[in-house]
Amino acid sequence: MLATEFERVSMPLAEPFGIARGVQTEAENVVVRVEDEGGMTGVGAAAPSSHYGETADTVEAVLPDLLSVVEEVGDAHAIDRIEREMAETVRRNPAARTAVSIALHDLAAKRLGVPLYRLWGLDPSRTPTSSYTVGLADLDTMREKTREAYEAGYDVLKVKLGTDRDRAIIEAVRDEAPGATVRVDANEAWTPREAVEMTEFLADFGVEFVEQPVPAEDREGLKFVYDRGALPIAADESCVTADDIPHIADRVDIANLKLMKCGGLTEAKRAIHAARAHGLEVMLGCMIETNAAIAAGCHLAPLLDYADLDGSLLLADDPYEGVPMPNGGIDLDALDRPGTGAVET
């Protein structure tokens, strides 16, 4: 027997967060709880993105149907069956399905008394350092945020670009963080030729790779940048589910997956393995999310080459605590709780 519930939470950001498509000042997540007959509870969360057709309203609209599947199956360990039936019940709405998937995995691992990564048999010592994102803002603000992050110990920075000030931004970031590993994300803002020119400029500043330089639908443009650019290319908006992997495998170096795009932890693992089978490196990213969601992504870290799991750090106050991440280090060994490790603060 399983009982379920959900609630919507609105969380202000510590600072306005800008990307090429706009500025965000608040994050709306929907938290899901699944409780077994002994009172043990698993927790997960949806962080919907309107860019992929989801909002907190749509998540709340479909969750009753999804949670009815959970209650009908009634077994926290029947995750594959529940996720399959949820996908048949609600074909889109991946963030909503992800929230339920996380809650089920959290509960299943708690019932066995182990952290989730141990349930999967993963090596906690093989976790990449998560990047810390410097969002788009005026140049002085980006300079200040870079300096604050670098001085706080974050030595892997992801810088949002996609403006007519991109070159000045990178020059300022390098001034403030000379020893940092820097990655950039254009969020589809450049044309293919602009992207090639930018990779040549960025390479001179020691940038590690460029994420989503061109619009998602422009796969030929992505190929143009991949063939001619001076840096490795990561696909984000061009890589939504595992089905997209074969279509990008010959035009990027890195697949950037997100739980909120995949539709659940099981599907995320399938996507990781699909990317590996096609010779791609793998990064796991996030939306602006509470630790009720981020913590689950941290348990996938041993399967990754790169991590971008800083979404909860952008919140003014996260109602959940998750996996310890000192200076971006994903410290699964330090986790002293079963499940995903997400607990209310």
Side-chain angles (χ1 to χ4, degrees), residues 12-235:
L13 273 57
E15 302 285 348
F17 181 74
I19 67 172
R21 288 190 294 268
V23 178
Q24 186 173 348
T25 60
E26 183 180 68
E28 285 199 306
N29 286 192
V30 181
V31 175
V32 169
R33 298 180 186 86
V34 179
E35 182 179 340
D36 70 9
E37 62 276 10
M40 190 171 288
T41 302
V43 63
S49 169
S50 59
H51 187 69
Y52 298 107
E54 280 189 282
T55 66
D57 287 339
T58 65
V59 170
E60 288 186 307
V62 301
L63 273 174
D65 290 335
L66 296 175
L67 294 176
S68 69
V69 173
V70 175
E71 294 177 0
E72 287 169 9
V73 174
D75 180 357
H77 297 280
I79 294 174
D80 186 66
R81 176 185 170 189
I82 291 172
E83 291 195 356
R84 184 177 65 252
E85 292 188 11
M86 285 198 302
E88 293 169 352
T89 301
V90 177
R91 294 195 175 275
R92 300 180 189 270
N93 298 277
R97 289 186 284 119
T98 292
V100 182
S101 171
I102 292 171
L104 287 168
H105 280 83
D106 184 35
L107 178 56
K110 283 177 176 174
R111 286 167 60 93
L112 296 174
V114 297
L116 183 55
Y117 75 87
R118 284 189 60 80
L119 181 65
W120 288 335
L122 301 181
D123 181 353
S125 70
R126 296 182 60 83
T127 58
T129 298
S130 174
S131 55
Y132 181 88
T133 304
V134 179
L136 278 176
D138 64 81
L139 192 58
D140 287 343
T141 298
M142 293 187 73
R143 181 183 288 276
E144 179 183 356
K145 293 303 177 187
T146 299
R147 181 171 61 252
E148 289 175 351
Y150 190 56
E151 290 179 352
Y154 293 98
D155 58 7
V156 182
L157 301 177
K158 173 175 166 177
V159 181
K160 293 291 189 177
L161 297 181
T163 72
D164 57 5
R165 302 173 286 117
D166 287 345
R167 296 176 186 242
I169 289 170
I170 291 301
E171 290 171 349
V173 166
R174 253 315 161 221
D175 283 345
E176 301 297 337
T181 296
V182 176
R183 304 160 184 169
V184 305
D185 182 4
N187 285 114
E188 309 179 82
W190 299 330
T191 68
R193 293 193 180 279
E194 287 173 340
V196 170
E197 292 176 3
M198 280 300 300
T199 64
E200 294 167 354
F201 172 81
L202 295 168
D204 289 339
F205 284 82
V207 169
E208 186 176 24
F209 61 77
V210 175
E211 185 179 336
Q212 199 61 50
V214 300
E217 65 275 9
D218 188 5
R219 286 178 173 163
E220 290 309 308
L222 201 60
K223 176 71 169 171
F224 183 90
V225 181
Y226 174 71
D227 287 341
R228 295 166 176 80
L231 291 174
I233 304 299

Side-chain angles (χ1 to χ4, degrees), residues 264-320:
L265 289 167
T266 301
E267 185 60 24
K269 288 196 292 180
R270 290 182 182 135
I272 289 169
H273 297 318
R276 295 286 185 211
H278 283 85
L280 298 178
E281 292 186 302
V282 181
M283 177 165 65
L284 187 68
C286 63
M287 307 300 183
I288 301 181
E289 306 169 9
T290 171
N291 267 307
I294 291 287
C298 290
H299 288 264
L300 288 168
L303 297 175
L304 309 174
D305 300 289
Y306 312 101
D308 179 31
L309 296 172
D310 65 338
S312 66
L313 300 177
L314 304 176
L315 299 171
D317 184 28
D318 190 344
Y320 285 85

